[in-house]
Amino acid sequence: MADHKNTDIITLTRHVFQDQLDHQEATGDLTLLLTAIQLGCKFVASNVRKASLINMTGLANSSNIQGEDQKKLDVIANEIFVNALRSSNKVAVMVSEEDEDAIFVDADQRGKYCVVFDPLDGSSNIECGVSIGTIFGIYRVRDGSTGQISDVLRPGSEMVAAGYCTYGSCSTLVLSAGEGVNGYTLDTEIGEFILTHPNMQIPPRGKIYAVNEGNSKYWDAACTKYFNSLKFPEDPKKSPYSARYVGSMVADVHRTMLYGGIFCYPADSKSKNGKLRILYECFPMAFLVEQAGGRASTGRKRMLDVLPESLHSRSPIFLGSKEDVQDLEAFYKAEA
């Protein structure tokens, strides 16, 4: 009989529970934490879809720690994730882009994980319908700690899991717990994330670069030469790369994960330390890209080896196809 409808679907919940069974040492705490995160993603996705209908677009008349104007949905998304994470009883420390200080969970609800997150990346694009998203990374609290700032001010290589969720034409949650990357698409009819992109792998080289060329007058020599090499290759047999830039990190990185190429947000003379935040933007995306066979760099060193100095420290970042990022690094090495 023809298979008109697959009834043996693999949901995110089913998948993480199966992974737990495959690891006899697992306690189930990370599984429950990921369940709380996916609930937050579903809740935010629902609010994004109906934002214009219930007056949740526009500014909230406040700003975050970066001095950026907060959208109404920024505030709501932050509250959704803080509440979902706290009520999971698996978190000790939370760090959000929207809050100046870390959030420490009370002892009666405290767990053994720390979660760093950007609740709504790309929120300036809400009104125009461009894909936006949530980015998160997870650390395990150090042995003997009950949850301190030092438990999150660590290299990204010490994360145990990371992911992002896009909110656009569909909602896709991309996740890694350190053993590859999988993507799950939200079926709004049954309210579940369904496995649609198993074992995601970034091509070794792509044909697309993503960067804000409006900042090109501020770039250093290495960046300028690298991007010129993509647009005007010396080999006449090589075609120039295509430029694609949304301005929402989640959207640009998701495209890079699927099609390859390179996503860039360099430091420049205007933003000497770069613009993207290390803990909850650079690290989670670098973790995912490396797990998918790609590479992530500051231009001079591996992104996941950086040690953040503060909760909201920034860094330049270049990530994507391994060979493309290596080409970029070669330009920086030549300029050293």
Side-chain angles (χ1 to χ4, degrees):
M1 185 173 67
D3 182 15
H4 296 295
K5 193 174 183 71
N6 180 16
T7 56
D8 186 23
I9 55 177
I10 300 176
T11 66
L12 173 56
T13 303
R14 171 181 168 181
H15 210 190
V16 295
F17 271 114
Q18 184 59 55
D19 284 346
Q20 178 187 327
L21 293 175
D22 292 341
H23 294 80
Q24 294 183 356
E25 74 282 2
T27 63
D29 286 355
L30 182 58
T31 298
L32 293 173
L33 175 54
L34 292 174
T35 300
I37 289 173
Q38 73 160 318
L39 172 63
C41 292
K42 291 176 187 177
F43 199 169
V44 173
S46 174
N47 279 279
V48 169
R49 284 197 303 273
K50 59 190 179 185
S52 295
L53 301 175
I54 57 175
N55 194 31
M56 280 200 296
T57 59
L59 298 177
N61 296 319
S62 60
S63 59
N64 62 18
I65 178 57
Q66 277 71 235
E68 301 161 338
D69 288 334
Q70 289 178 304
K71 299 282 187 172
K72 293 176 184 176
L73 271 177
D74 280 319
V75 177
I76 293 169
N78 193 50
E79 292 176 357
I80 287 172
F81 277 102
V82 169
N83 289 331
L85 292 169
R86 180 184 285 118
S87 62
S88 73
N89 291 339
K90 303 303 175 188
V91 177
V93 183
M94 291 177 265
V95 176
S96 168
E97 182 194 23
E98 303 302 328
D99 294 307
E100 179 175 3
D101 300 317
I103 299 170
F104 298 97
V105 179
D106 292 339
D108 60 336
Q109 290 184 294
R110 186 182 301 146
K112 63 180 182 181
Y113 290 100
C114 305
V115 182
V116 294
F117 60 97
D118 182 348
L120 202 59
D121 172 72
S123 57
S124 60
N125 291 310
I126 290 170
E127 281 88 352
C128 63
V130 168
S131 290
I132 54 181
T134 296
I135 308 171
F136 61 90
I138 302 172
Y139 290 97
R140 186 178 286 107
V141 171
R142 285 191 168 111
D143 291 342
S145 174
T146 57
Q148 309 291 332
I149 292 291
S150 58
D151 289 314
V152 294
L153 292 182
R154 299 153 66 181
S157 57
E158 296 183 23
M159 281 185 170
V160 297
Y164 63 80
C165 187
T166 67
Y167 312 117
S169 59
C170 61
S171 294
T172 302
L173 198 161
V174 175
L175 174 68
S176 175
E179 296 183 353
V181 182
N182 293 294
Y184 309 83
T185 302
L186 181 62
D187 184 330
T188 55
E189 291 187 1
I190 64 173
E192 291 284 353
F193 281 101
I194 309 299
L195 179 64
T196 51
H197 298 76
N199 192 29
M200 296 173 69
Q201 289 287 306
I202 299 177
R205 182 176 291 279
K207 300 178 181 179
I208 299 170
Y209 72 95
V211 69
N212 183 354
E213 297 213 54
N215 290 328
S216 59
K217 67 177 287 186
Y218 306 112
W219 290 345
D220 57 27
C223 263
T224 300
K225 291 178 181 178
Y226 172 69
F227 290 114
N228 282 339
S229 76
L230 300 184
K231 293 181 284 187
F232 310 103
E234 293 182 0
D235 186 344
K237 295 181 180 179
K238 285 187 176 181
S239 298
Y241 276 44
S242 297
R244 299 285 186 273
Y245 186 68
V246 177
S248 166
M249 187 186 190
V250 167
D252 283 312
V253 171
H254 188 54
R255 183 192 58 249
T256 304
M257 292 280 288
L258 294 175
Y259 305 143
I262 187 168
F263 167 82
C264 314
Y265 212 115
D268 55 37
S269 61
K270 187 173 63 171
S271 302
K272 297 186 184 300
N273 294 320
K275 189 173 180 182
L276 297 181
R277 276 63 59 134
I278 295 173
L279 272 181
Y280 42 79
E281 291 174 326
C282 297
F283 277 174
M285 293 306 202
F287 186 96
L288 290 164
V289 165
E290 285 198 4
Q291 285 292 315
R295 190 175 180 92
S297 173
T298 67
R300 295 182 171 87
K301 67 184 295 185
R302 181 188 181 212
M303 184 71 242
L304 291 178
D305 288 340
V306 172
L307 182 65
E309 296 179 359
S310 66
L311 298 180
H312 303 286
S313 292
R314 302 173 188 252
S315 172
I317 187 168
F318 305 88
L319 58 79
S321 294
K322 186 174 182 179
E323 294 176 13
D324 286 315
V325 177
Q326 287 174 327
D327 288 348
L328 177 281
E329 290 173 323
F331 278 88
Y332 271 97
K333 188 175 181 179
E335 291 293 323

